[in-house]
Amino acid sequence: MEVIIQPIPEAATAIALRAVADLLRKKPNAVLGLATGSTPLLLYNALTAMDLDWSKVTTFNLDEYVGIPAADSCSYHSFMWQNLFSKVNIRRKNVHIPDGMTNDIPGHCEQYERRIRDAGGIDLQILGIGREGHIGFNEPGSSLASRTRIKTLTERTRKENARFFKAPATVPLHVITMGIRTIMEARVCMLLAFGAKKSRAIAAALEGPITSMSPASILQMHPRAKACLDTLAASRLKHLEYYRSVYDHKPKWQKAEIF
Ligand code: F6R
């Protein structure tokens, strides 16, 4: 995995921003995998300020809460439309977010997988990381071969995400999330993490053993995974200076080229 460490979240986000912009310019009908939460907000803000054509772009979001209607302000549908989709010229029919209100969860999950395949697969998957190492909502213990399915959130994740809800007790217990194998099939994975509170999860994922106890650690097996971190999120990495030196000494052409 390539580890890119920048002093502040804005600088780390700029790497992902360049990747998305390059992809959309080179491949107007690109397929993006998107995350929600605080981490990608800087990226989405910056993307809406750019003059990019989203008219042929297709997106697949990682996850959605079960039992929360799309129109609810706490849904990830609302989050995505508010922070990105309403501000770019994407076509509604090209946006895919799991339906938390479906009455056939297994059937819906199978269809979600089929839609990703029919779209030609995901070119670039943007990921955040949970404090216990989840990607999407694949909590510790998730099968590393999993596909889109229902998952139960840990109490820690529910507490973390309570900030988006009116009361902690209203955070759903269940979610629909892309699986780990689904994520791993993306051609490029970009993991973003900022702040000291992510440093343990980042150290475990990047330098620890590959284990379902740290679901993000599976990215070590991805041929084109990049972690874009700020200094605080990177602070527990043992090989910090090596990663910095690798990035600083990369040939110019290689640094510029993601797609
Ligand atoms: C959300 C998702 C999660 C978040 C993770 C970090 O779609 O996939 O894995 O990326 O929980 O959340 P934040 O960015 O809020 O710290």
Side-chain angles (χ1 to χ4, degrees):
M1 191 176 343
E2 183 180 8
V3 184
I4 304 170
I5 302 161
Q6 297 289 310
I8 54 173
E10 285 77 1
T13 295
I15 311 276
L17 180 65
R18 208 177 59 217
V20 177
D22 274 9
L23 174 63
L24 266 53
R25 287 190 189 115
K26 287 187 184 153
K27 187 178 177 189
N29 63 343
V31 180
L32 291 177
L34 298 174
T36 54
S38 306
T39 307
L41 278 174
L42 284 171
L43 174 65
Y44 297 159
N45 253 332
L47 280 170
T48 61
M50 287 183 84
D51 188 22
L52 291 168
D53 181 12
W54 291 72
S55 62
K56 296 192 182 76
V57 173
T58 297
T59 62
F60 288 91
N61 262 81
L62 285 165
D63 36 31
E64 180 57 286
Y65 293 106
V66 170
I68 301 281
D72 190 298
S73 61
C74 297
S75 76
Y76 282 166
H77 281 76
S78 295
F79 177 98
M80 288 308 300
W81 281 98
Q82 191 183 324
N83 293 299
L84 179 63
F85 299 147
S86 65
K87 300 177 184 171
V88 297
N89 66 333
I90 197 161
R91 299 174 74 179
R92 192 168 277 269
K93 73 170 184 58
N94 291 346
V95 169
H96 303 88
I97 305 174
D99 176 6
M101 295 302 284
T102 176
N103 48 27
D104 173 15
I105 291 181
H108 180 67
C109 293
E110 263 179 47
Q111 189 190 51
Y112 205 69
E113 290 280 332
R114 210 176 314 121
R115 285 198 172 144
I116 295 174
R117 273 199 305 277
D118 291 350
I122 293 172
D123 292 303
L124 170 62
Q125 175 67 57
I126 301 294
L127 297 165
I129 186 168
R131 284 168 78 153
E132 290 179 309
H134 70 213
I135 44 174
F137 274 137
N138 295 285
E139 299 283 36
S142 291
S143 161
L144 299 180
S146 51
R147 294 278 178 196
T148 303
R149 69 211 182 293
I150 189 169
K151 281 296 290 179
T152 307
L153 294 179
T154 62
E155 268 319 291
R156 190 160 183 193
T157 301
R158 290 184 71 228
K159 272 197 196 120
E160 273 290 313
N161 290 7
R163 68 189 191 281
F164 296 113
F165 288 80
K166 286 170 201 96
T170 61
V171 182
L173 193 55
H174 294 117
V175 289
I176 294 176
T177 180
M178 267 188 212
I180 293 181
R181 181 174 285 176
T182 322
I183 292 170
M184 287 292 284
E185 282 173 356
R187 289 177 195 102
V188 176
C189 282
M190 271 207 155
L191 177 68
L192 302 176
F194 313 134
K197 67 179 186 179
K198 298 294 173 74
S199 61
R200 276 183 204 281
I202 283 296
L206 272 52
E207 295 184 338
I210 297 172
T211 163
S212 67
M213 289 298 122
S214 165
S217 65
I218 192 67
L219 293 170
Q220 294 176 33
M221 296 287 289
H222 195 290
R224 298 193 67 199
K226 292 173 194 292
C228 303
L229 315 172
D230 71 353
T231 309
L232 290 172
S235 58
R236 287 178 196 269
L237 291 171
K238 285 198 202 90
H239 299 281
L240 190 75
E241 289 316 319
Y242 175 65
Y243 305 133
R244 285 193 203 281
S245 156
V246 170
Y247 192 68
D248 289 348
H249 295 96
K250 263 177 104 165
K252 246 191 182 157
W253 60 267
Q254 204 187 21
K255 222 177 201 173
E257 202 169 78
I258 297 177
F259 289 100

